[in-house]
Amino acid sequence: MAEEKAIEKKAKVADPVAASIDKATQEMIVRAQELGIDTCFDRAVTLKPCNIGNQGTCCKNCGMGPCRLPLGKGLAEGEEDTRKGICGATPNTIAARNFTRMIAAGAAAHSDHGRSVAEVFLSAARKETDAYQIKDTQKLLDIAPYFNVATTVKSEDGQDLDRDIDEIALEVAEVALREWGKEEGELLYLKRAPQPRYEIWKKLGVLPRNIDREVVDIMHRTHIGVDQDYKNLMKQGTRCALADGWGGSMMATDLQDVLFGTPYPLQSEANLGIMKDDHVNIIIHGHEPVLSEVIVAVSQSQEMIDYAKSKGAKGIQMGGICCTANEILQRHGVPLAGTFLQQELAIVTGACDAMVVDVQCVFQNLANVAKCFHTKLITTHPMAKMEQDNVIHIEFDEHHALEDAKKIVKLAIDNFENRKGKGSFIPQYKSPLIAGFGVESIKYHLGGTWRGDYFTLNDNIINGRIRGIGAVVGCNNVRTRHNEGHITVVKELIKNDVIVLTTGCNAIACAMEGLLTPETAQVYCGPGLAEVCEVVGIPPVLHMGSCVDNSRILLAATEVVRAGGLGKDLSEVPAAGSAPEWMSEKAISIGQYVVASGVYTVFGTTFPTSGAPVFQDYLFKGHEQLYGGMWDFEPDPIKHAHKMIAHIDKKRKALGIDKARERVLMSMEDRQKLSAA
Ligand code: NFS
């Protein structure tokens, strides 16, 4: 009997190879299981998702429900859908309400992150803090006009004089911060989109008024008894998503760049193997770089390095998880410790002296895992605390940022000696990478010194060496094999000459797989893309930052339109979006603003509207008529990539550049035949 129970128990843990394609992850899953510590991979085996919620047709917006309307075997051709909730809500209404609420939550998370940055920016502009200064004055001058802030003043004799940079910073900070709650008008950054795109949004009535209002509007209209028309719900969903992509997220990126520096390509490494046995290991996890920036600076100070050495360590090794990882990587080269699904595993190494978290994508189970080791788990944000008693809360405030950061780093160093004799296990896997691409650096790299612009990229798309652009982004989802979707989609795209722009956990997955190096081009790319990468010296997969930095992808695509030859609007560019392993509400908000920006976007894993086919059809096909971009769902990664490629080819054909590609990709044999003829 006891034996049976043991077998039963054994059967309920994850199979490491089925759970992840990554060797480091597999080893750590095994180690956790040996130590009797459960991780998300094991919990996914025992905890099945709800099949009704999964379809988007469970309504729990009032106390009469939850009203659960599963689709069952589906509807026969012509069969009427008679499902309805207590109030009469149809599956379309319920799925649309749930979907728009996901957008609201996602937009709120990104945009509140943006607000925090704007607040710190204001403090810096007012010189209330020593920890932050304006680092990139050129970027400040570049963005000021979008906030209607003048960068020059007229002298008495009519000459343009440069305005004081501090004055500009202060005005930008004040105007930017107002974007969250201003009473009238529309978001200022919307005008950064190509004019025809802006006109579409205007015509359809989806120009966001301010950021907070669009979120509140969704919460109101999805309350019981308000909006009961799925199209009208999605109109607001779009408005809110645009407030994220072309508002909160875009301002987060820009203000971070001004404060912390605009990223330029740099080298680093990725995966759990970046941790070091003889160093103090500090893992930073979460999203907002206002804290991590200062922690990185403090941990690199001689004072702290000496202190670490005095405690017997050789130095301090920082590593990042999730989007904080991408932020400190792209600006400082701090290595990536892993993706969203590796957060518990970083502690299971036994070598993590402190894990510092702020907001978003942080597992509550970290506290339970930390209990089994010496690891100090430190929460830092007033909005994100944990109930477990082993968690230390050090509230971070920009006004005493340096002291807070010092306290945290010291705590980690003091904890180093508690690791002694307990044994650690760091999986020996890491890959080299190049990260830190953005609108500015693409301009430089693909434009060259003489023609610093997007013409070269456009030329290569027009002549067919580059087939198109794939934006592959988003999370890991434990319901699918860790990183398999990400890597398969990306490899299939570059094999077919589609250059990939990546952010978020996809960027980390690509880094772990070694795809973020120029050498990758010769191994995995089709001949056209390989040639371009070799000539220019870039990887075929460009790391563009964290998830709020998807705004960089929007602006890069806008530059492509501006450079000419590839249409007048984003919807005409041979490009497609993808989130092969999405899981978060932020991903839904991103998907919606990318679709509303005119881009075909495919999601993998699962789709949260499958129980409402009419509504889903509206997202998948109806949106194309409205926005020129639409959603799609494809869990098979190879088919997923080929749907993107088919869309890219459709756009090439519409632009009349499909023939060029056929010429470029002719084999040597074909060419010889031609010249013989
Ligand atoms: Ni994006 Fe960042 Fe990762 Fe998904 Fe979470 S880290 S903001 S939400 S899981 S990509």
Side-chain angles (χ1 to χ4, degrees), residues 276 278-282 299 304-309 312-318 353 413 416 419:
K276 293 188 181 133
D278 52 9
H279 280 56
V280 174
N281 291 300
I282 305 178
S299 71
M304 285 299 148
I305 295 171
D306 289 345
Y307 187 60
K309 286 185 177 161
K314 288 216 169 110
I316 303 170
Q317 178 64 51
M318 306 280 298
D353 300 302
I413 296 172
F416 176 71
R419 205 202 302 169

Side-chain angles (χ1 to χ4, degrees), residues 342-353:
Q342 289 169 285
Q343 51 186 289
E344 291 162 297
L345 307 181
I347 300 179
V348 175
T349 59
C352 177
D353 300 302

Side-chain angles (χ1 to χ4, degrees), residues 35 67 190 269 287 292 332 436 519 536:
L35 295 171
C67 294
L190 299 170
E269 294 173 326
H287 283 79
S292 49
H332 304 285
E519 295 73 33
V536 182

Side-chain angles (χ1 to χ4, degrees), residues 110 286-287 322-323 340 360-361 474-476 504-506 547-548 583-584 586:
H110 281 147
H287 283 79
C322 283
C323 282
F340 169 66
Q360 302 167 25
C361 304
C475 328
N476 288 119
C505 288
N506 178 275
C547 289
V548 294
M583 64 86 207
S584 83
K586 287 178 285 178

